[in-house]
Each structure stands twice: as C-alpha cells, then as structure tokens.
Amino acid sequence: MGPLKVTLCAGAALAAVLGPPAYAVDGGGVSVTPSSPAPGTDVTLSVAGCTGSTAVAGSAAFAGDVRLAPSGPDGTLVGSGRVRSTTQPGAYAVRVRCGTADRTGTVTVGEKAPRPGAPASPVAPVAAGGGGAARLAATDARAETPGTAQTVIGLVLAGVAAVAVALRSARRRGRGTD
C-alpha cells in the first residue's frame, strides 16, 4: 500500500474515531459519517466484516465511486468520498461491493448550507491609481544610479581583496600546507 493510501486511510479512521458521534449505520453494516451531509461535503464510509481486502461503494448521491481500504487490525474498510453539489436533499441508497457479497446502506443528504452574503460596502478598499507606482515611475532612473566616486571605491576595494587572497594563498603554499 502506497504512502498516500496509508495517509488517507489513517486520516479517515482518525476522523471516524475522533469525529462527532453523528453517523448512520444500517442493517447492511455500512456507516456514513456525518449522517446528514450537505451537498458538496465530504463523507467517510466504513464497512465491517467484508470478505475482501478492498471494496467499492457507489451511490447516486456521490460524485464518484468511493474506494474502501483496511483501516486497522479489525478488518474494517474505510474510504472518503464527496456528495455531489447538485444532489437534492433526501435519502439515497449506498451499495458496497465487498468481495463476492454486496452491502447496502443509506445516506440522507441534508439541505445545502446558505452562502454568506457579500458585505454592503468594501471592508478594506484598495487605493486606486497605481498604488504608489506613479511616484516611482516619475523619477529619473539615472539620478539613483551609483556615481563615478562609488564605482572607483568599489573597484579599489575589490582589488585590495583580490591581493589579500593571493598573498594568503602564496604564504600557505610556501609553508607546505594546502
């Protein structure tokens, strides 16, 4: 099992154990967490007692098939999926192909959460007009370049550094240490 699958399975198992106690278990042994997801949200499915080492769950409410993998020593298969954002509220059948047998359950899709409205006026308006770039564009670029004096001083300092490195290297070679 690849590291991505292990990470996803461990996260799903941890969410199932530490998550809120809102889950639905049908007589078929399929549990869905949360029990009433809103359209567009993620759900975690778990099935205990499967004969196979992997399973695939499908439902008209899901955006695609949900692949289930073992999550612990007890053999419970766990996987995560997403409820389609266009799913209407109501109960939907969940079918899990588990080895040679099928398990069934239901997921009850709740109402879509209302989207927060936009504020009536901007919270932090942006200053228009270039954001201060006009001041920089108006200055003469040549006025801010180093002059002749700075260039000469820089060249003299670079020459002094080169001579110091050459002398130090010559001394080391003369002593026989390299």
Side-chain angles (χ1 to χ4, degrees):
M1 187 180 286
L4 179 61
K5 287 183 180 179
V6 171
T7 304
L8 289 174
C9 290
L14 187 63
V17 171
L18 298 177
Y23 61 91
V25 178
D26 289 333
V30 178
S31 67
V32 181
T33 306
S35 62
S36 294
T41 59
D42 291 333
V43 293
T44 302
L45 301 174
S46 62
V47 179
C50 278
T51 58
S53 61
T54 61
V56 177
S59 174
F62 297 152
D65 288 341
V66 178
R67 304 213 182 278
L68 306 173
S71 68
D74 63 348
T76 301
L77 301 179
V78 177
S80 295
R82 182 173 291 255
V83 177
R84 284 184 298 122
S85 60
T86 58
T87 303
Q88 297 298 318
Y92 293 87
V94 178
R95 180 178 167 212
V96 178
R97 174 60 98 182
C98 188
T100 58
D102 284 347
R103 302 278 178 102
T104 58
T106 58
V107 59
T108 304
V109 177
E111 293 288 329
K112 185 178 260 190
R115 298 178 83 182
S121 64
V123 177
V126 177
R135 179 183 52 85
L136 296 175
T139 60
D140 188 12
R142 289 174 287 178
E144 296 180 17
T145 60
T148 306
Q150 288 93 358
T151 304
V152 171
I153 291 173
L155 289 173
V156 168
L157 289 174
V160 169
V163 169
V165 169
L167 289 175
R168 185 175 180 126
S169 296
R171 282 190 198 157
R172 284 192 179 185
R173 274 185 263 167
R175 284 192 230 153
T177 58
D178 218 7

